[in-house]
Amino acid sequence: MVTLTTEPDNESLELESEARVGGYAVSKRSRWPKIIAHAILILSVFVFVSPFIWAFFTSLKPEAEIFASIYQIIPTEPTFENYAKVWVEQPLDRWVMNSLVISTGIVFFTLLLDTMAGYALAKGRFRGRSVTFTLVIGTLVIPPQVVLVPLFIEMNWIGWGNTYWAIMVLFIANPFGTFMMRQFFMTVPDSLIDAARMDGCNTFQIYTRIMLPMAKPALASLTVFTFIFAWGAFLWPLIIINDGAMFPLQVGIALLTGPYTSQWGQLLAAAIMAALPVLTAYLLAQKTFMEGIALSGGGKGQ
Amino acid sequence: MAQPPETRREQITDALPSFGIADPDSNIAWYMLIFPKIALMAAVLILPFLGSVYISLHEWAPLATSHPFVGLENYARLLSDSVFHSALINTATYSLALILIDVPIALGLAILLDMNLRGTRIYSASIFLPVVTSWVVVSLIWTWLYNPDYGMINAFLNVFGIAGLDWLNSRDTSLAAIIIMSIWKHVGFNMVIFLAGLKGIPDSYYEAATVDGAGRWERFRYVTLPLLKPTSFFVIVVTLIFSFRLFTQVFVMTGGGPVNSSISIVYYFWQQGFQEFNMGYASAIAVVLFVIVFAFSIIQQRSWGGDVDY
């Protein structure tokens, strides 16, 4: 996991060696592969980006223009009336707020509980540690979908139906972050902890003063990864929430497809508004996002 | 890969005496640190998991006063339920298509991005864009793209003189439409993991191969591919596991139809459990899903084997 922090060096090294190798080994022929690569990548950019652009253009068209000609891609008179209409008619602001509260809560508690548990599993010396770790690994293989029927019954039984908490607990309980943080804390040298103990730090002080500050890169990854999943959560909120005012954004707009079957301008306007918060964050911190996925998704494989 | 020295270090520290610097309350402190997570896991995942197995052996309507025990009857019903068979076949098809199409494209794109061409940041950012967008949003956008009369895909096909399809409304194409859109959404995820794997291959290997006279293709065939094996295996298994959770796209785009042609295991589970309120039957579906995913996970654990040191 630490390898990624040294990546810039690797990259620059690689650039140099590429140039050198290209310099004397295959001088003239080496241009074509690059041109082909650029061509494929430019085509890919078109394939991956154009649906968003097209959806955005459609959302700017008045209802009549959408169904006028499919070859008029760029709106002749762009207007935000679809956005205004759907915003007024549907409680989008409420849904955005629900999603923000839920996602932030999930990220906060995931970071807190997973760093605590990961630290204990990596550095703790206590009876039952290996059993606990086996339990964490074992729980990793349970697909969350499998527990939904009993969890639904349980949540309603304790009176948490239609609450933020009910949505959040399923994601906070996910053992993946614990596993990831444990793997990270394993890389912290024991000598550091021993030194802190000699200076009189107790277990909790080591957690707050040494472990947490050291874990910043891993925490950034876990934050991004958890936030994307929490923001996109769908099946469980769909099941446990039946009060429209408590819907997270994803459930809210997915259920608009019923009443808005043919009002594509408004539907796409709602979809674009739903995508904006995460897209903005992504465009601002693209590197953190991609590293977050690489570390969290691929870290286990390395 | 970096595990063996770590394991060794742990064994060494385990064997060393603790020098008497451990504070007296340390054991309790460790339990306090780990308790919240374990308690939550037990309440939300482990107990409900056992609950699923229990409920699957009963006829379970949520508001009924009694839940009669029916043994394995729910499972027996699954065997002869043609809708469940469709769900199973559709999900497996979806899964296989992702492995055969998504994974190779992701690898190809990762290799192109690893060439460090000018503009790589823009290329990778664009390909990754769908990954950070939610499934619901992407499904809505693609439902519009697939619109038979006004959608961009048919318009595009028409330009080339190909007749448009009735994508989501036809039994022949509904699942294919979901597969195409899901590959588009998911390929950037695998690409980034492959890219991390490629960056992990030391340059000295390539230099050595070049010195030995290996060309581009030989370097790829004899250096990149073999060293990328663990990453590829990981990507395949994770893609398998995630693909069996297929739900959101089906919910938004087709509702499982037409005539169950795009129904998935999780969609059928949701329908049975939370539309029809046959919770016993839904739990049996959930347990079958678990068994399938568990089998994949076993393969995955085997593959990293030594990586997970207990």
Side-chain angles (χ1 to χ4, degrees):
Chain A
M1 294 207 180
V2 235
T3 50
L4 240 106
T5 49
T6 60
E7 204 180 70
D9 301 352
N10 269 342
E11 226 168 304
S12 54
L13 258 178
E14 206 163 321
L15 267 171
E16 278 168 28
S17 66
E18 268 287 319
R20 205 151 33 80
V21 170
Y24 68 86
V26 267
S27 53
K28 271 189 184 164
R29 271 175 51 214
S30 68
R31 276 180 78 193
W32 276 107
K34 280 192 176 175
I35 293 172
I36 296 169
H38 273 296
I40 298 173
L41 288 170
I42 289 169
L43 187 73
S44 306
V45 170
F46 173 76
V47 169
F48 287 97
V49 176
S50 61
F52 290 104
I53 294 174
W54 194 63
F56 179 62
F57 282 161
T58 306
S59 73
L60 295 179
K61 291 178 183 174
E63 212 65 58
E65 201 187 322
I66 291 174
F67 299 105
S69 165
I70 41 173
Y71 297 106
Q72 179 62 47
I73 292 167
I74 299 165
T76 44
E77 287 165 56
T79 160
F80 280 97
E81 82 185 55
N82 288 320
Y83 289 81
K85 256 192 210 158
V86 74
W87 184 267
V88 170
E89 281 174 20
Q90 299 296 332
L92 281 177
D93 47 348
R94 171 74 203 217
W95 294 343
V96 171
M97 201 202 65
N98 290 341
S99 277
L100 279 177
V101 171
I102 293 164
S103 308
T104 315
I106 291 172
V107 168
F108 173 77
F109 284 107
T110 299
L111 291 185
L112 181 69
L113 298 192
D114 286 345
T115 48
M116 282 163 52
Y119 164 46
L121 288 174
K123 297 297 179 191
R125 297 281 171 269
F126 57 94
R127 195 184 293 254
R129 187 185 69 147
S130 62
V131 176
T132 317
F133 186 59
T134 312
L135 195 73
V136 170
I137 295 290
T139 314
L140 265 177
V141 304
I142 302 177
Q145 289 81 354
V146 172
V147 306
L148 298 187
V149 165
L151 193 60
F152 172 82
I153 296 170
E154 184 184 347
M155 287 296 129
N156 283 316
W157 184 61
I158 62 171
W160 275 11
N162 273 320
T163 63
Y164 293 148
W165 285 110
I167 302 178
M168 283 159 57
V169 284
L170 179 67
F171 296 90
I172 302 168
N174 193 311
F176 174 70
T178 303
F179 176 76
M180 184 186 146
M181 291 317 298
R182 183 259 187 193
Q183 297 299 85
F184 178 82
F185 286 135
M186 292 287 285
T187 65
V188 176
D190 282 344
S191 54
L192 215 64
I193 294 167
D194 291 342
R197 282 217 191 276
M198 297 247 225
D199 289 343
C201 281
N202 66 31
T203 305
F204 293 112
Q205 285 162 333
I206 292 174
Y207 167 70
T208 52
R209 290 179 197 177
I210 296 179
M211 291 312 212
L212 283 187
M214 287 199 70
K216 267 182 198 154
L219 290 180
S221 298
L222 189 59
T223 302
V224 164
F225 197 68
T226 309
F227 189 83
I228 293 178
F229 270 87
W231 187 262
F234 186 67
L235 176 57
W236 174 235
L238 175 75
I239 289 171
I240 195 67
I241 304 292
N242 54 36
D243 170 5
M246 292 298 289
F247 281 159
L249 190 54
Q250 308 298 331
V251 175
I253 61 166
L255 295 179
L256 287 184
T257 47
Y260 285 71
T261 339
S262 57
Q263 281 142 299
W264 275 104
Q266 291 182 55
L267 209 49
L268 290 169
I272 283 162
M273 284 192 273
L276 270 184
V278 179
L279 281 190
T280 315
Y282 168 64
L283 293 177
L284 290 176
Q286 184 212 331
K287 211 165 167 229
T288 316
F289 268 65
M290 298 182 76
E291 280 177 4
I293 298 289
L295 273 184
S296 312
K300 293 189 290 180
Q302 293 188 325
Chain B
M1 271 179 221
Q3 290 304 332
E6 239 165 54
T7 327
R8 212 176 325 127
R9 195 185 60 210
E10 200 191 3
Q11 280 164 355
I12 292 167
T13 38
D14 272 342
L16 284 173
S18 62
F19 300 111
I21 44 171
D23 52 359
D25 69 339
S26 72
N27 256 7
I28 295 166
W30 293 122
Y31 288 127
M32 283 168 72
L33 282 168
I34 204 160
F35 178 76
K37 182 72 187 195
I38 298 301
L40 195 66
M41 261 173 52
V44 174
L45 295 172
I46 299 170
L47 286 179
F49 170 68
L50 300 173
S52 266
V53 178
Y54 177 82
I55 292 174
S56 75
L57 303 173
H58 295 75
E59 192 187 307
W60 200 291
L63 296 175
T65 42
S66 73
H67 306 291
F69 177 79
V70 295
L72 294 175
E73 204 177 282
N74 286 326
Y75 293 93
R77 249 177 79 198
L78 280 179
L79 286 178
S80 57
D81 180 345
S82 64
V83 181
F84 181 67
H85 295 168
S86 301
L88 207 58
I89 292 167
N90 289 342
T91 311
T93 309
Y94 172 81
S95 192
L96 196 68
L98 250 60
I99 301 290
L100 294 181
I101 305 171
D102 179 316
V103 173
I105 294 178
L107 177 59
L109 289 172
I111 288 168
L112 292 181
L113 291 179
D114 196 41
M115 287 169 77
N116 287 312
L117 300 169
R118 196 171 297 173
T120 291
R121 266 190 73 123
I122 295 171
Y123 292 144
S124 60
S126 310
I127 299 169
F128 200 67
L129 200 60
V131 177
V132 293
T133 316
S134 71
W135 281 102
V136 169
V137 168
V138 160
S139 301
L140 280 173
I141 291 177
W142 276 73
T143 308
W144 176 233
L145 292 187
Y146 279 133
N147 187 300
D149 301 317
Y150 305 100
M152 185 168 79
I153 292 176
N154 276 355
F156 194 72
L157 291 177
N158 289 340
V159 170
F160 294 97
I162 305 167
L165 293 166
D166 200 5
W167 293 100
L168 297 171
N169 308 315
S170 153
R171 291 167 71 167
D172 303 322
T173 49
S174 58
L175 184 63
I178 286 176
I179 288 171
I180 294 170
M181 166 274 193
S182 304
I183 290 170
W184 176 86
K185 161 90 168 82
H186 187 259
V187 80
F189 183 89
N190 284 341
M191 178 194 78
V192 165
I193 297 175
F194 271 128
L195 200 53
L198 285 171
K199 298 269 184 231
I201 299 175
D203 296 327
S204 53
Y205 287 33
Y206 289 113
E207 282 159 19
T210 314
V211 169
D212 287 348
R216 234 173 239 279
W217 166 249
E218 277 99 356
R219 272 181 286 164
F220 174 71
R221 171 70 188 79
Y222 296 106
V223 180
T224 313
L225 271 193
L227 287 174
L228 217 52
K229 227 181 194 172
T231 311
S232 313
F233 198 81
F234 173 80
V235 164
I236 289 173
V237 178
V238 168
T239 305
L240 257 179
I241 292 174
F242 274 89
S243 62
F244 267 81
R245 300 176 177 183
L246 171 63
F247 175 77
T248 309
Q249 308 93 297
V250 176
F251 181 94
V252 176
M253 297 173 80
T254 65
V259 213
N260 297 325
S261 58
S262 63
I263 197 167
S264 70
I265 298 176
V266 176
Y267 191 86
Y268 192 46
F269 156 80
W270 170 79
Q271 246 183 0
Q272 285 298 320
F274 301 97
Q275 298 293 101
E276 316 277 330
F277 292 106
N278 296 323
M279 291 194 159
Y281 196 50
S283 294
I285 299 172
V287 171
V288 171
L289 175 73
F290 168 75
V291 171
I292 295 171
V293 172
F294 183 71
F296 296 143
S297 306
I298 295 286
I299 304 171
Q300 185 195 14
Q301 303 275 5
R302 282 249 172 99
S303 76
W304 342 316
D307 198 33
V308 184
D309 45 306
Y310 288 85

